[in-house]
Amino acid sequence: MKGVPVHRMLGVWVFGGTILDQFIEYLDDLVWGPWMLALLLGSGCYLMLRLDMLPLKNLKFALRCAFGLETEQRDGEVRADVRKQLSGRGLPEDEAGRSSRDGSRRDRAYSGSVFGKKTAGQGFSGERQASNGGRASDGRKTFRGENASNRGKASKGGKVSSLASLTTELATTLGIGNIVGVATAMVLGGPGALFWMVATSIIGMATKLVESMLAVKYRGKNDRGEIAGGPMYTCLHGFPNKTAGKLLGFLFALFAVTASFGMGNMTQSNSIADAVWVSFGVPKENTGLLLTIVTILVVLGGIGVIGKVTQILVPFMGVFYLLGALAVIATHWRNLPGAVAGILTAAFYPEAVSGGIFGSVTVTAFQSLRWGVSRGIFSNEAGLGASGITTAAADTEDYVRQGYISMTGVFLDTAVVCTITGLAFAASGVLGARDANGNPLTGTALTLAAFRTTMGDWGGSFVSICIVLFAFATIIGWAYQGERAFEFLMGGKSRYNLWYRFAYGLTAFLGCISSLETVWNFSDICNALMAVPNLICVLALSGKACREIRAYPVPGERQIRHKGKAAGKADGGKKALHARY
């Protein structure tokens, strides 16, 4: 090893060994077998049906909320209407009002060992309902356990605005999964993988709605009184069996911390280093050093600084990239109908589209499904639960509305951005192209080739800038999610967070010098492991959650629901569709 640079030795020791590469690839194939696809797709389909397709019906309302066109409804009015809807469906009064009692659990301060007994810091954090029956000074009832005495205080306890929460969440999802992830999916799974990515996002909206709603509903606080939430708190406070809930919460937090280093950091930094090296010739170790320093400086500021950065960065980079991708599609518009038809056909019969603008396709239908689902989940994180950690930081008590806002991230991320990216690849005819050594183009190289068909050599610089912006936004967004999971493992004690932030920053350097295949395989494994405890908890709480979502007063949708119910009574006394559960 004499004369070998230290950074090269580090890359070989950690992720460069042939045996380790093969082992990680084996685990990746194992965890992403048919059982994982069935769990993810099955959960999404089940929740979509149990919600009576409301995620699709109320998508317009969710988008209006996300862009600030729908004002937040008064807490007391929402709570009263929810109780009226639930009691009107034959539910007992105590069950109809259970959301108030369940919501109060979010005020719990979490401290002590996950499996240990309650310490003095656990249980309610001293915040109780007002003695006048839970009514605030303005005569309104407090909504879902909100402490009336704390309403209006200047300190938000670590909360951010709903918009900042959404942009931070989008920062974690709008990353290289929308660029490099689509490229690898359509190479490894054929052009049909794009269809499965979009299909996954549509049913994933139901999963994201429920898991995000639960994350806000059951959020807690750390030892400094800052808001902390996510699936680990949902498991801890909401899972029916407390022992199992503690175990699931611990496992999710453990896998989320691991995923933050993998999917949230190493894959992003690896793509940044690769793009800057290909386009500008900057050595990867230099990029890693600079990225490590910048990452540490940003994440040291906490969720406040992260929210401000993403609120500016995410809209700019999204519009900037989409304009470039649409330009590629526009210049190859004659190929667009054939590209769309080929993508739909290849989703079920990949061999039928071999040749032409898709090159040589040598994948099976299962491979198309496997890579489409895995890369779709990588991109929008529906079912993984990690984005619920960011959603829980939103400055709102209306957790159903915030669930709808979070749901729009799946639609914008995959159904919009990934679709446009995939169509740019398919229409430009770069799928199946090979480099000078005869190897198929994939990842960053494929993306550069697609944009160069329209922009020439400048297209490489354009893509590199987009990758840097997208990936860096994901890195800083995931820093908050990983930190909250790490804090949970430490018993809710925030004094250890500084160690995580420095370790997270140093991981960016490791990602820059590691191999692309191993980093992506490692991230896929973390995604699958993180999804299992989250989906178990979501499915266990789905009955109560779906009832509350169906009863939520959405403008325009409620009148339709009431008409349907009245029509059901007129039609021989049949129950309305929403009264089934």
Side-chain angles (χ1 to χ4, degrees), residues 77-100:
E77 294 173 355
V78 175
R79 180 171 178 262
D81 194 67
V82 168
R83 289 177 61 112
K84 179 180 178 182
Q85 291 286 338
L86 291 176
S87 60
R89 293 173 200 168
L91 293 176
E93 180 67 20
D94 60 338
E95 185 173 354
R98 194 179 296 170
S99 62
S100 169

Side-chain angles (χ1 to χ4, degrees), residues 262-537:
M263 178 178 70
N265 192 328
M266 295 182 67
T267 54
Q268 316 298 326
S269 57
N270 185 279
S271 295
I272 290 177
D274 190 38
V276 173
W277 163 251
V278 172
S279 298
F280 307 110
V282 178
K284 294 184 178 182
E285 56 270 21
N286 293 353
T287 302
L289 181 61
L290 178 61
L291 185 60
T292 296
I293 296 173
V294 176
T295 300
I296 291 177
L297 291 177
V298 174
V299 300
L300 284 178
I303 183 60
V305 174
I306 292 174
K308 291 178 181 178
V309 172
T310 56
Q311 201 165 345
I312 298 173
L313 186 59
V314 169
F316 168 76
M317 72 181 189
V319 173
F320 182 68
Y321 173 74
L322 287 178
L323 289 176
L326 289 172
V328 175
I329 296 174
T331 56
H332 300 282
W333 63 271
R334 290 184 177 86
N335 295 336
L336 191 58
V340 174
I343 289 170
L344 296 176
T345 303
F348 304 95
Y349 304 103
E351 62 279 358
V353 298
S354 182
I357 61 175
F358 297 117
S360 178
V361 179
T362 58
V363 299
T364 65
F366 177 77
Q367 288 176 316
S368 180
L369 174 64
R370 179 253 193 269
W371 289 107
V373 173
S374 64
R375 290 295 179 257
I377 295 298
F378 182 97
S379 177
N380 58 55
E381 300 182 15
L384 302 187
S387 58
I389 301 175
T390 304
T391 303
D395 186 17
T396 180
E397 297 298 330
D398 191 348
Y399 49 79
V400 177
R401 180 179 184 273
Q402 189 60 37
Y404 273 117
I405 292 176
S406 179
M407 182 192 76
T408 62
V410 179
F411 175 77
L412 296 173
D413 176 272
T414 308
V416 176
V417 180
C418 287
T419 299
I420 292 176
T421 301
L423 290 176
F425 292 152
S428 62
V430 297
L431 285 176
R434 297 180 178 272
D435 58 19
N437 298 323
N439 299 318
L441 294 179
T442 185
T444 303
L446 182 67
T447 309
L448 293 173
F451 278 78
R452 280 172 177 163
T453 61
T454 298
M455 305 178 187
D457 292 337
W458 188 79
S461 301
F462 176 86
V463 172
S464 297
I465 294 173
C466 290
I467 289 177
V468 170
L469 292 176
F470 273 55
F472 181 69
T474 301
I475 289 174
I476 62 176
W478 256 98
Y480 175 76
Q481 296 179 172
E483 180 180 310
R484 281 294 184 250
F486 178 79
E487 183 180 272
F488 183 88
L489 294 177
M490 296 295 105
K493 298 180 177 63
S494 59
R495 63 175 177 266
Y496 300 109
N497 291 352
L498 189 63
W499 294 101
Y500 172 84
R501 294 177 184 181
F502 277 106
Y504 188 83
L506 294 174
T507 304
F509 181 83
L510 181 61
C512 289
I513 61 176
S514 300
S515 65
L516 173 67
E517 294 79 8
T518 304
V519 167
W520 277 83
N521 289 338
F522 174 71
S523 299
D524 280 341
I525 295 171
C526 296
N527 289 353
L529 295 177
M530 186 168 53
V532 173
N534 174 61
L535 289 177
I536 291 175
C537 183

Side-chain angles (χ1 to χ4, degrees), residues 159-184:
K159 293 182 181 180
V160 295
S161 67
S162 294
L163 177 60
S165 173
L166 176 63
T167 54
T168 304
E169 182 180 336
L170 282 173
T172 65
T173 56
L174 281 175
I176 59 170
N178 302 89
I179 305 176
V180 181
V182 177
T184 57

